[in-house]
């Protein structure tokens, strides 16, 4: 494992269900991500992109295989350890923004810090404002999540994913639900943050244009990965 | 902790109508609880007051003179025949020695030495059996509130005067100022002037009692010294048994608390308290079920959010905290509102001591407000544990959706 290695999975197998109804999704998948990567995860629908992201995000355990991040073996960690790890090191952006509807944009952004600290610290709010300004929503901080447009919500979700300065942000079709213009804005933003903060992004998409804006493209096919520019 | 409270509070305020209804429901349950406490408590005060208010709480008499057995039964079977001593009347001869002592005890409201006996009230051809009580002049109203129940005349037994009840006065067609002949069971005959007529509402007193001075009673019953008994009124009538035991221990006399002759009243009160508790328990159960179902519904509606919170690094414990806190807030708020409404609604009722016969004897002091609030809060917290646990088990993957 090189010094800039961030994530490494080996022989990852994920099977849903058992016996006759078993779906073999990942069949011995290998993948390494480095710090500062900006990678697109490609593959036809149903190929297992979301499954892989969910496992990388420690929200689900693989059926078998090794999963390491930042030198820690995550396959043997328990729920509490994974929750803590996820909170500190991983950010998520989903296809559907998944903001908390009864909270303002700023409160949503600050959530991952506050839930760890037990309260909304002044520093967290400060960083939350900074990030909302960064994603162009300085004017909308105190709007409830339900009062924002789709593109705005997704930008709030990106700000939320970044609040704890995670090493890795996993984005599952973050633009899948947006019009072309909003989608391009979101990708631009991701590119900037990746350059400026050295945050690694792994973005699943089936949009060729969006994949092309990433430095690396990884294809999931037949339960394995193939690096397209290797 | 603080952050969990913030989220819980936001969830409650996000749906004001639903939360308002829920809190109202809890408040109604708490009101029922408080109302039952005040009603049952008030009824007990009222019943005890009307039964025991005008009688002695502890009555001290001479110990029985039955011969005691000197042979130990351990030595073998003993056959004994005892004969009740009937040749002497049982008298308290030492009353004057210990009465001042008892009078100084904390919790004693009044003591009254009495010479009592039976006789006939005679007027013309009418004769009515009466129970004559001779008291110290200033102690006429110490046990039964004679002075407060006078309907005509004065509560005065000085000299050759007698105070009688209204029913007896009617039976004898006698009025204040007229003379009544009292014939004791010792065959002493005295003419006494009726100075006052009272109506207490207890037939035994109104129809049968005649109050005279101690001196008059001594003459009527040929008792130059000693007294027949001492009646004691306590500040707290629930202490009667303790006081009776203490008097027996310190004086060697026989002391009988009012509870001994009123077992039926006491068991009635117990039964009443039990049924009250049952209703209160049902009120609490209703609260618990209401809170549990409302919160369970809320956890189902918020499953996606709970999943997202978990994905963002919220621990299971945090999710539990958010929902248990909601339960606690609902219980506390509903409890306090219900208690406040209960207090406001019950305050206008007269206290049971002053309640009119046939009125509604509610005791606002016995609303058990603190108990109602804490039991409700506790119940609501317990009710929220099940929904909270089910919320904490939401699998983020299942709600995030691919
Ligand atoms: N919870 C699940 N239970 C059973 N099968 C599942 C589950 N989640 C995903 N799958 C199946 O696994 C395969 C991969 O799904 P997914 O990872 O969502 O692919 P992608 O995101 O690339 O479209 C699909 O065939 C899907 O039906
Ligand atoms: Mg998918």
């Amino acid at each position: 494992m090189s010094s800039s290695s961030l994530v490494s999975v080996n022989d990852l197998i994920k099977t849903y269900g058992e016996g006759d109804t078993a779906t073999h999704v990942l069949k011995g998948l290998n993948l390494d991500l480095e710090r500062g990567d900006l990678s697109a995860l490609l593959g036809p629908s149903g190929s297992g992109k979301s499954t892989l992201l969910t496992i990388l995000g420690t929200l689900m355990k693989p059926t078998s295989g090794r999963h390491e991040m930042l030198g820690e073996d995550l396959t043997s960690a328990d729920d509490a350890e994974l929750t803590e790890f996820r909170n500190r090191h991983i950010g998520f952006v989903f296809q559907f923004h998944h903001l908390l509807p009864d909270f303002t944009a700023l409160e949503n952004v600050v959530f991952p810090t506050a839930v760890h600290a037990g309260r909304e610290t002044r520093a967290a709010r400060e960083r939350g404002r900074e990030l909302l300004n960064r994603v162009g929503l300085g004017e909308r901080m105190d709007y409830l999540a339900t009062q924002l447009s789709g593109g705005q919500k997704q930008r709030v979700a990106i700000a939320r994913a970044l609040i704890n300065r995670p090493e890795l942000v996993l984005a599952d079709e973050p633009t899948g639900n947006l019009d072309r213009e909003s989608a391009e804005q979101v990708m631009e933003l991701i590119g900037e943050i990746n350059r400026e903060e050295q945050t690694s992004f792994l973005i699943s998409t089936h949009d060729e244009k969006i994949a092309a804006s990433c430095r690396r493209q990884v294809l999931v096919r037949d339960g394995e990965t193939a690096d397209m520019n290797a | 902790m603080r952050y969990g409270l913030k989220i819980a509070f936001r969830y409650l305020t996000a749906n004001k109508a639903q939360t308002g209804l829920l809190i109202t429901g809890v408040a109604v349950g708490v009101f029922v609880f408080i109302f039952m406490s005040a009603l049952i408590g008030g009824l007990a005060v009222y019943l005890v007051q009307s039964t025991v208010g005008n009688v002695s709480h502890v009555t001290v008499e001479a110990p029985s003179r039955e011969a005691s057995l000197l042979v130990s039964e351990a030595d073998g079977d003993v056959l004994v025949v005892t004969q009740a001593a009937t040749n002497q009347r049982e008298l308290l001869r030492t009353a004057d020695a210990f009465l001042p002592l008892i009078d100084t005890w904390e919790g004693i409201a009044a003591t009254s030495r009495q010479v009592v006996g039976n006789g006939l009230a005679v007027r013309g051809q009418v004769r009515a059996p009466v129970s004559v009580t001779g008291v110290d002049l200033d102690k006429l109203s110490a046990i039964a509130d004679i002075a407060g129940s006078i309907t005509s005349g004065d509560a005065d037994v000085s000299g050759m005067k007698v105070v009688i009840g209204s029913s007896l006065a009617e039976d004898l067609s006698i009025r204040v100022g007229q003379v009544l002949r009292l014939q004791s069971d010792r065959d002493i005959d005295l003419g006494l002037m009726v100075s006052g007529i009272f109506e207490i509402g207890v037939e035994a007193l109104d129809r049968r009692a005649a109050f005279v001075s101690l001196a008059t009673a001594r003459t009527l019953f040929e008792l130059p010294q000693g007294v027949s008994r001492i009646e004691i009124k306590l500040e707290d009538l629930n202490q009667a048994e303790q006081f009776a035991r203490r008097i027996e221990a310190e004086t060697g006399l026989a002391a009988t608390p009012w509870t001994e002759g009123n077992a039926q009243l006491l068991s009635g009160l117990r039964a009443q308290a039990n049924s009250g508790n049952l209703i209160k328990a049902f009120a609490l159960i209703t609260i618990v079920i209401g809170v549990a179902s409302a919160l369970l519904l809320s956890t189902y509606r918020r499953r996606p959010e709970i999943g997202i919170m978990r994905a963002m690094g919220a621990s299971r414990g945090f999710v539990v905290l958010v929902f248990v806190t909601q339960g606690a807030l609902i219980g506390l708020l509903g409890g306090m509102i219900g208690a406040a409404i209960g207090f406001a609604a019950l305050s206008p009722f007269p206290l049971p001591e002053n309640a009119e016969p046939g009125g509604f004897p509610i005791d606002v002091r016995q609303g058990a407000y603190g108990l109602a609030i804490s039991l409700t809060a506790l119940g609501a917290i317990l009710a929220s544990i099940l929904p909270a646990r089910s919320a904490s088990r939401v699998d983020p993957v299942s709600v995030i959706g691919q």
Side-chain angles (χ1 to χ4, degrees):
Chain A
M1 204 164 43
S2 71
S3 63
S4 62
S5 172
L6 179 61
V7 179
S8 139
V9 292
N10 299 100
D11 277 331
L12 206 63
I13 292 178
K14 179 68 196 181
T15 306
Y16 289 111
E18 277 172 37
D20 294 345
T21 58
T23 316
H24 301 276
V25 182
L26 305 181
K27 307 166 187 169
L29 179 145
N30 296 298
L31 180 68
D32 281 288
L33 297 176
E34 312 224 314
R35 287 175 190 260
D37 261 355
L38 177 60
S39 313
L41 191 61
L42 290 157
S45 183
S47 57
K49 301 186 294 298
S50 295
T51 301
L52 176 59
L53 288 175
T54 310
I55 292 172
L56 291 179
T58 73
L59 294 173
M60 181 168 69
K61 292 223 172 174
T63 309
S64 70
R66 282 186 71 75
H67 175 202
E68 281 185 10
M69 181 168 168
L70 295 164
E72 278 189 48
D73 176 11
L74 298 179
T75 38
S76 58
D78 67 22
D79 182 81
E81 289 166 345
L82 290 179
T83 300
E84 165 90 16
F85 187 89
R86 184 158 74 227
N87 180 265
R88 290 177 54 195
H89 302 297
I90 302 174
F92 291 95
V93 182
F94 305 101
Q95 175 171 1
F96 306 100
H97 59 86
H98 287 306
L99 297 180
L100 305 175
D102 299 313
F103 293 79
T104 65
L106 183 60
E107 286 170 332
N108 266 285
V109 171
V110 169
F111 182 89
T113 310
V115 79
H116 189 253
R119 63 197 186 88
E120 287 178 345
T121 59
R122 182 194 292 270
R125 264 202 290 266
E126 201 43 55
R127 172 150 170 88
R129 283 200 201 92
E130 222 174 273
L131 283 166
L132 279 170
N133 277 320
R134 183 81 187 70
V135 300
L137 289 172
E139 309 284 284
R140 297 277 191 276
M141 298 207 199
D142 297 321
Y143 280 49
L144 284 179
T146 45
Q147 295 168 326
L148 300 171
S149 75
Q152 288 171 338
K153 284 177 190 161
Q154 204 56 304
R155 282 186 277 157
V156 173
I158 291 171
R160 178 177 64 182
L162 296 170
I163 185 91
N164 280 346
R165 301 178 205 275
E167 285 83 354
L168 175 65
V169 172
L170 301 166
D172 196 355
E173 305 194 32
T175 59
N177 223 19
L178 301 181
D179 58 44
R180 163 100 2 231
E181 197 184 334
S182 306
E184 272 166 14
Q185 277 175 7
V186 164
M187 282 313 292
E188 237 169 74
L189 184 64
I190 287 176
E192 280 170 29
I193 290 160
N194 168 258
R195 273 195 303 281
E196 289 165 18
E197 305 213 8
Q198 287 297 298
T199 309
S200 296
F201 281 84
L202 181 61
I203 304 160
S204 87
T205 181
H206 16 235
D207 185 324
E208 295 293 333
K209 255 186 97 174
I210 283 176
S213 65
C214 295
R215 277 198 298 284
R216 180 183 171 196
Q217 289 79 29
V218 179
L219 178 68
V220 182
R221 197 170 51 194
D222 303 330
E224 294 179 23
T225 49
D227 243 309
M228 293 171 69
N229 40 359
Chain B
M1 186 73 201
R2 205 162 110 191
Y3 194 54
L5 189 70
K6 172 178 174 155
I7 295 197
F9 197 74
R10 183 68 57 87
Y11 276 3
L12 288 179
T13 49
N15 199 335
K16 293 199 179 66
Q18 189 188 322
T19 305
L21 268 173
L22 185 55
I23 288 177
T24 308
V26 172
V28 169
V30 171
F31 178 80
V32 169
F33 187 100
I34 283 171
F35 180 82
M36 284 317 296
S37 298
L39 181 62
I40 300 290
L43 265 171
V45 169
Y46 178 77
L47 288 175
V48 169
Q49 191 72 32
S50 54
T51 314
V52 191
N54 283 312
V55 305
S56 165
H57 295 162
V58 179
T59 305
V60 184
E61 283 158 320
S64 119
R65 288 152 178 268
E66 220 111 284
S68 55
L69 198 56
L70 297 178
V71 193
S72 162
E73 286 199 58
D75 299 341
D77 290 334
V78 185
L79 291 175
V80 197
V81 175
T82 43
Q83 188 172 10
T86 52
N87 55 343
Q88 262 189 323
R89 282 185 282 167
E90 293 182 350
L91 266 186
L92 276 178
R93 292 176 197 285
T94 49
D96 293 333
F98 56 76
L99 200 53
L101 168 76
I102 294 179
D103 263 326
T104 61
W105 288 356
E106 193 84 11
I108 301 278
T111 57
S112 169
R113 345 179 260 162
Q114 303 175 347
V115 169
V116 298
N118 296 317
L120 288 173
V122 184
R123 189 158 190 259
Q125 289 304 307
V126 190
R127 306 169 140 245
V130 289
S131 150
V132 180
T133 306
V135 292
D136 285 310
L137 296 183
D138 57 334
K139 294 291 179 71
L140 176 60
S141 299
I143 306 300
D145 184 16
I146 304 295
S149 316
I150 289 285
T151 52
S152 76
D154 299 306
D156 177 16
V157 290
S158 60
M160 298 298 276
K161 293 189 190 127
V162 64
V163 172
I164 59 172
S166 55
S167 306
L168 181 61
E170 239 167 72
D171 292 349
L172 299 173
S173 316
I174 202 169
R175 282 194 313 268
V176 168
Q178 297 180 320
V179 173
L180 171 73
R181 238 180 79 215
L182 265 186
Q183 203 169 61
S184 80
D185 55 8
R186 302 261 134 190
D187 273 339
I188 310 277
D189 226 317
L190 283 180
L192 300 169
M193 191 188 80
V194 175
S195 61
I197 295 173
F198 62 83
E199 182 167 347
I200 284 187
V202 179
E203 197 57 10
L205 289 175
D206 290 348
R207 177 151 274 134
R208 294 280 169 254
F211 289 92
V212 297
S213 69
L214 215 47
T216 308
R218 286 195 193 289
T219 313
L220 273 172
F221 300 108
E222 296 183 310
L223 281 175
Q225 311 125 24
V227 296
S228 324
R229 67 180 180 209
I230 293 169
E231 291 196 335
I232 297 176
K233 204 119 189 233
L234 303 174
E235 268 151 26
D236 176 6
L237 49 80
N238 298 314
Q239 300 278 312
E241 274 158 51
Q242 287 93 303
F243 271 104
R245 256 178 274 128
R246 183 168 170 200
I247 290 167
E248 291 196 335
E250 296 199 12
T251 66
L253 300 173
T256 314
W258 67 268
T259 45
E260 219 156 88
N262 286 286
Q264 272 176 334
L265 170 69
L266 292 175
S267 78
L269 290 180
R270 255 194 305 278
Q272 186 179 281
N274 286 343
S275 44
N277 286 339
L278 207 63
I279 296 175
K280 289 192 261 181
F282 277 122
L284 277 178
I285 290 171
T286 314
I287 290 174
V288 168
I289 292 176
V291 172
S293 66
L295 282 180
L296 207 56
L297 223 64
S298 157
T299 60
Y300 280 123
R301 212 158 36 80
R302 295 193 184 275
R303 279 175 70 83
E305 286 171 61
I306 296 162
I308 215 71
M309 289 200 277
R310 294 278 289 123
M312 297 296 144
S315 63
R316 289 213 165 119
F318 181 80
V319 177
V320 168
L321 178 70
V322 165
F323 282 89
V324 169
T325 305
Q326 288 183 66
L329 285 174
I330 288 167
L332 222 58
L333 220 67
M336 291 195 299
I337 292 173
I341 293 174
F343 185 77
L346 299 183
S347 289
F349 285 92
L351 294 178
E353 296 89 304
N354 315 327
E356 304 274 309
F360 214 32
I362 280 189
D363 190 347
V364 66
R365 298 160 304 186
Q366 295 200 52
Y369 306 92
L371 185 71
I373 294 174
S374 28
L375 280 182
T376 306
L378 195 74
I381 287 172
L382 288 178
S384 61
I385 287 177
L386 183 82
R389 285 175 59 106
S390 103
S392 77
R393 294 208 190 90
V394 167
D395 179 6
V397 181
S398 70
V399 294
I400 287 162
Q402 268 79 18

